[in-house]
Amino acid sequence: MIVLPTPAGIHAEIEALAPDVFRLRLGLIEAPEPPESAALIEPNWEIPETAAQRKGGRSCLATECGVFSWDRRGAWQLSDAQGFEVFSSSIGATGFSANGAPELTLDLIEHESLFGLGEVTGPLNRRGSVRDFWNIDVLGHAPAIHPALASLYVSIPFALSLRHGRAAGLFWDNSSRQHWDLGSSHPDKWRLRADSGDIDLHLFLGPTVEAVLQRYAQRTGTMPLPPEWALGYHQSRYSYETQARVEAVAREFRRRDLPCDALYLDIHHMDAYRVFTVGSGFPQLASMTRKLRRQGIRTVAITDPAVKDDPDFPVFQRGMQREAFVREADGKTDYQGQVWPGIARFPDFLKPEVRTWWGEEQRALLEQGIAGIWNDMNEPANFARPDKTLPPDALHRTDSGPQPHAAVHNLYGQAMAQASREGLLSHRPDERPFVVTRAGYAGIQRHAIVWTGDTSSHWDHLRDAVPMLLNLSLSGVPFCGGDVGGFLGNATPELFVRWLQFAAFTPFFRNHSNLGTRDQEPWAFGPEVEAIARETLRLRYQLLPLLYCLSQRAASEGEPLIRPLLYHYTNDPVAVACNSQFLLGRDLLIAPVLEPGCPARSVYLPNDVWYDFGTGERHVGGKSILAETPLNRIPVYVRAGGILPLAPARNSTQEPPGETLTLHVWPGPEGAFHWYEDDGITLQHESGLFHQRRITLRRQGKTTHLHFGPAEGTFASRIRNWKIVVWDTSPNARIRIDGALRKSPSSPEAELLVIDLPNRDSAIDLSIVGGA
Ligand code: GLC
């Protein structure tokens, strides 16, 4: 670490946390202590070797990957080891305004693009836009409704920059309101300002998108591995108001042979919106949740932070005894606002004891068999004020001392999600918690799944959902999703189908809609839509092993499940600019239909060979093709080299997955897949109860080699047989397993090469001679 020369009253330092991660900090010496970081965790990075130098008024700190240099007037640059500049700020552009607010301006170069920023509406590339990081409850947030919308429920002041195909990242850890102007008022300047606190930047050198995201995930934490049921189809609405209705919906799913893993109870399950209570509509909640469980369906309940101000309400009483609520600026009286239950107080989740108390209160729901918690209104939303939240001077009593609400506003929802998760863990210590949240800050992925709030049942909103989930995925939040079908207003049958088809490939897959809107269950739009919905849901369940393996990679490596094309094709300007397609893992490309009445759509296939997932048709990439899109078709393509497990469809993850797994293989120059299994529900994978192996593909001349690496972990694989389906290969190709020739694997009339391979833990070598 070196201290940098600054004007009087400012302290500045630069530190290399890893060879490719620099941290630049500037603070006013007289300023109050900023709140503790809720974003950062201590990564196990080795201290890098550094060389510090001061020459001619310039201070430099170098690692093997890059050099940070700062001149006496505060201009600075970060360059990589090849001298390529990734960030720079000119003289006097990094410091504090006259009123002590931290601010900095970075230079943007021609063709630089900026991504991430957490939850945002509008195009994937954020250059030219403005973002205010200030968590806020906003109804119907599509650009068509709110063209100038700058704030949303989640604030993640992290951006990924792409300069000539080279990626770098910047994270400003400051939970007060931040305002970013990313080349909007000046095309070549990226201006960042916060209301209070310090400048505390993490600068990630990349050079790949993957490397930036991995470092960011190591620093802010990866998402924990979710229970397998989190990846199933979930059905919600505001509200299924009675037990009878919930049971009827569950019955309907089963009667109609439609997959579903969870039903949600929105605010009407409570007694007059008193949190943790159960109203008269649910006279036997425990027996209802048991009944649903027998049908393979879990029950998730909403919890909102605001506690009804009612001296006879036990949760309120216990909160009062614990002095749990956010105070007025005087520090003596509790602040009273207004949410669903009327006058209410707001638990001060910034206080660890309050988080523990809140977690204990969850017991009331968990004892009735509630499987997961859905945190809403936790920006926090407050109907009592025009700014829709708590007063900026309301007082939080945090571990690091009192903090005005303005300084910690963006941490409130995150702290609530943390309380929910920790509470679940303390009640069910061996079960993976399931928490969904609307609000969050950087690091939210450690505590909860993020869903994108109140969308509208409108095509604009479906279109917007694609870049929105991709930018969240590029901001350390791999487990995200939006209300399928849209929340506000009524979905048309066509919109519903197209939304479902898109969302089937997104991590969190939940249908939800608003009070007073038409029914939005898969059968609510008539038999044609129901049949397509059934196929779509079945496909989702066939994809579960893929989604689960990718979730494990997200949990261990910080790799997003869904990715914009630029993630793997950073040098391809068409891929970088693509807003309407995405990748699930490395090999599956999805081009959802985002327009009404669309008989065909154009699909850009980046520079690789691709196969149509449905028909097997081969396409050479590096160009756009036209895909026909009748209502029952989702254009999906697989990269040559792709390896993709497909399970038999099930109606719930609770049903046994079967002992044979089909592994589809599309021969190509190279490919790899990380196979991962465990019990899907407990935390024993953390102590080694898992089964994983790397499966790789390599083509040499006319031979395709498929290699199953030796299995690791103590979990016994459930798979007894792999059924390997090799595409675009003669069914008469010669097969060798561990060197020994296998006789005619497929029947002569077969169109595809299919190989039955008994599974075992030691390495397996398969070669296919005489490919395409
Ligand atoms: C908020 C949520 C929505 C929920 C409603 C009632 O608008 O975003 O999902 O249904 O509150 O709880």
Side-chain angles (χ1 to χ4, degrees):
M1 190 264 286
I2 57 173
V3 173
L4 303 166
T6 49
I10 298 177
H11 175 82
E13 60 187 49
I14 181 80
E15 189 181 359
L17 303 179
D20 53 341
V21 184
F22 286 72
R23 184 178 191 178
L24 173 65
R25 277 191 280 188
L26 279 88
L28 289 173
I29 289 165
E30 298 289 318
E33 266 298 291
E36 226 174 276
S37 172
L40 302 179
I41 60 162
E42 223 28 76
N44 54 357
W45 292 340
E46 270 178 40
I47 299 167
E49 285 202 18
T50 54
Q53 210 185 42
R54 282 184 211 276
K55 224 166 61 195
R58 185 167 281 281
S59 309
C60 295
L61 185 70
T63 66
E64 62 182 278
C65 295
V67 188
F68 177 89
S69 113
W70 171 280
D71 81 10
R72 124 164 44 86
R73 288 167 305 169
W76 60 269
Q77 301 85 38
L78 179 67
S79 305
D80 70 12
Q82 286 71 45
F84 183 86
E85 201 171 88
V86 297
F87 293 114
S88 67
S89 175
S90 42
I91 299 168
T94 301
F96 293 83
S97 70
N99 64 2
E103 56 186 17
L104 68 147
T105 300
L106 298 168
D107 306 313
L108 292 171
I109 65 165
E110 206 185 342
H111 303 309
E112 178 168 2
S113 352
L114 298 164
F115 305 94
L117 284 88
E119 196 177 48
V120 280
T121 56
L124 191 65
N125 182 357
R126 306 313 299 164
R127 186 161 180 180
S129 75
V130 160
R131 177 73 166 97
D132 270 322
F133 294 107
W134 184 254
N135 294 350
I136 201 80
D137 176 13
V138 46
L139 269 180
H141 46 67
I145 301 172
H146 288 287
L149 185 71
S151 296
L152 268 163
Y153 316 94
V154 173
S155 290
I156 305 182
F158 168 79
L160 181 99
S161 135
L162 264 192
R163 290 187 167 186
H164 303 292
R166 197 196 176 293
L170 176 146
F171 169 48
W172 184 358
D173 189 13
N174 181 320
S175 56
S176 73
R177 184 196 290 266
Q178 289 197 42
H179 177 82
W180 288 17
D181 177 330
L182 304 117
S184 168
S185 35
H186 190 301
D188 303 331
K189 298 289 174 202
W190 172 8
R191 294 191 170 131
L192 307 88
R193 184 156 45 78
D195 275 2
S196 61
D198 288 349
I199 293 180
D200 184 355
L201 302 182
H202 278 71
L203 304 167
F204 303 92
L205 271 173
T208 60
V209 178
E210 197 178 349
V212 173
L213 295 196
Q214 189 175 47
R215 285 304 199 190
Y216 175 77
Q218 288 165 349
R219 192 64 175 119
T220 60
T222 56
M223 73 172 207
L225 190 61
E228 192 193 4
W229 65 269
L231 290 162
Y233 174 71
H234 294 194
Q235 179 69 48
S236 179
R237 89 162 283 119
Y238 173 21
S239 295
Y240 292 130
E241 293 196 17
T242 63
Q243 178 170 335
R245 176 96 167 97
V246 176
E247 290 178 355
V249 171
R251 246 190 338 266
E252 230 28 36
F253 270 98
R254 292 304 169 245
R255 189 174 78 75
R256 293 172 187 269
D257 195 23
L258 287 162
C260 179
D261 258 81
L263 291 182
Y264 283 61
L265 306 184
D266 205 323
I267 51 175
H268 289 102
H269 78 275
M270 292 180 262
D271 171 18
Y273 308 132
R274 287 170 175 80
V275 65
F276 302 124
T277 64
V278 179
S280 57
F282 292 81
Q284 289 137 345
L285 180 60
S287 89
M288 184 200 93
T289 57
R290 272 198 304 275
K291 199 188 255 177
L292 261 59
R293 266 305 281 281
R294 285 196 296 273
Q295 294 167 289
I297 297 176
R298 285 176 159 84
T299 313
V300 177
I302 197 166
T303 60
D304 291 341
V307 176
K308 185 170 177 64
D309 209 308
D310 172 357
D312 297 327
F313 174 30
V315 177
F316 176 76
Q317 291 164 351
R318 290 191 286 270
M320 291 299 284
Q321 276 155 19
R322 285 170 174 76
E323 302 194 0
F325 300 115
V326 176
R327 293 268 157 96
E328 298 265 10
D330 65 7
K332 296 194 184 84
T333 28
D334 288 349
Y335 172 74
Q336 288 168 298
Q338 198 166 350
V339 197
W340 305 123
I343 305 292
R345 304 190 193 199
F346 296 83
D348 192 352
F349 292 112
L350 280 295
K351 250 171 119 176
E353 313 87 86
V354 174
R355 293 201 291 274
T356 309
W357 164 63
W358 190 261
E360 283 161 10
E361 292 290 351
Q362 281 177 179
R363 181 188 295 275
L365 293 174
L366 304 188
E367 280 173 348
Q368 311 244 34
I370 294 298
I373 298 288
W374 165 25
N375 288 169
D376 188 24
M377 310 296 275
N378 54 342
E379 295 69 35
N382 176 13
F383 305 153
R385 290 172 51 89
D387 64 3
K388 291 168 77 173
T389 192
L390 303 186
D393 59 356
L395 210 71
H396 293 263
R397 286 151 298 153
T398 74
D399 249 10
S400 47
Q403 290 285 347
H405 182 69
V408 293
H409 171 80
N410 289 337
L411 307 182
Y412 189 87
Q414 178 129 324
M416 180 185 186
Q418 183 181 354
S420 302
R421 179 179 164 81
E422 288 168 358
L424 279 166
L425 270 176
S426 74
H427 293 298
R428 298 177 182 149
D430 197 33
E431 239 182 69
R432 294 176 212 172
F434 178 89
V435 180
V436 181
T437 185
R438 196 170 72 173
Y441 177 68
I444 185 61
Q445 67 276 4
R446 301 200 304 275
H447 312 294
I449 294 168
V450 170
W451 116 95
T452 55
D454 298 340
T455 53
S456 304
S457 297
H458 199 277
W459 291 95
D460 281 316
H461 227 135
L462 170 58
R463 264 192 304 275
D464 200 49
V466 182
M468 193 172 192
L469 295 181
L470 293 174
N471 271 324
L472 260 174
S473 298
L474 289 178
S475 309
V477 185
F479 211 119
C480 53
D483 288 347
V484 174
F487 178 72
L488 303 170
N490 293 322
T492 62
E494 185 189 8
L495 177 67
F496 176 74
V497 166
R498 293 311 195 187
W499 210 313
L500 195 76
Q501 290 171 333
F502 153 65
F505 294 88
T506 62
F508 182 50
F509 186 28
R510 187 188 72 150
N511 177 335
H512 182 55
S513 58
N514 194 14
L515 198 66
T517 58
R518 65 169 296 173
D519 285 352
Q520 206 167 265
E521 293 75 26
W523 55 84
F525 300 89
E528 193 204 355
V529 169
E530 182 182 335
I532 297 174
R534 184 174 297 102
E535 281 318 298
T536 312
L537 299 187
R538 287 171 72 83
L539 173 62
R540 168 70 175 204
Y541 277 71
Q542 290 180 284
L543 290 169
L544 280 184
L546 169 71
L547 289 158
Y548 196 63
C549 292
L550 291 174
S551 299
Q552 193 273 332
R553 294 293 293 172
S556 64
E557 311 299 322
E559 288 173 9
L561 283 83
I562 54 169
R563 307 158 186 189
L565 303 193
L566 67 91
Y567 188 94
H568 291 291
Y569 302 93
T570 36
N571 284 308
D572 174 345
V574 183
V576 170
C578 181
N579 282 292
S580 66
Q581 299 174 202
F582 61 102
L583 298 161
L584 175 62
R586 181 177 172 201
D587 296 324
L588 217 49
L589 182 149
I590 295 98
V593 177
L594 307 169
E595 308 286 338
C598 195
R601 71 155 282 175
S602 141
V603 178
Y604 180 68
L605 297 173
N607 191 14
D608 258 315
V609 170
W610 297 88
Y611 290 94
D612 186 308
F613 181 61
T615 64
E617 192 186 343
R618 185 173 188 273
H619 299 277
V620 177
K623 61 170 190 281
S624 293
I625 58 164
L626 198 66
E628 286 183 15
T629 52
L631 193 59
N632 62 359
R633 178 150 193 269
I634 319 168
V636 176
Y637 302 84
V638 194
R639 193 183 66 89
I643 302 170
L644 189 76
L646 279 188
R650 290 180 280 167
N651 278 340
S652 160
T653 58
Q654 214 162 280
E655 292 174 15
E659 294 181 338
T660 299
L661 198 96
T662 309
L663 198 67
H664 290 260
V665 173
W666 287 265
E670 51 77 39
F673 189 77
H674 288 268
W675 174 253
Y676 178 85
E677 280 172 86
D678 61 20
D679 63 31
I681 189 81
T682 75
L683 289 162
Q684 292 184 41
H685 62 290
E686 289 177 356
S687 33
L689 195 66
F690 58 78
H691 175 98
Q692 70 176 12
R693 69 195 320 173
R694 206 170 133 79
I695 307 174
T696 50
L697 181 147
R698 193 166 45 88
R699 190 161 57 201
Q700 257 181 334
K702 287 199 154 156
T703 305
T704 298
H705 296 278
L706 195 63
H707 178 75
F708 290 69
E712 292 165 22
T714 53
F715 185 79
S717 175
R718 294 200 188 95
I719 296 161
R720 298 184 85 93
N721 283 295
W722 298 100
K723 183 174 160 195
I724 301 188
V725 176
V726 190
W727 290 78
D728 201 13
T729 300
S730 155
N732 304 318
R734 265 184 305 137
I735 310 297
R736 281 179 192 277
I737 298 177
D738 297 325
L741 201 63
R742 159 82 74 95
K743 277 196 288 175
S744 49
S746 303
S747 62
E749 43 315 333
E751 282 178 21
L752 285 174
L753 174 62
V754 180
I755 306 161
D756 288 317
L757 184 68
N759 195 19
R760 61 162 200 252
D761 283 358
S762 53
I764 312 174
D765 254 316
L766 184 81
S767 56
I768 303 153
V769 188

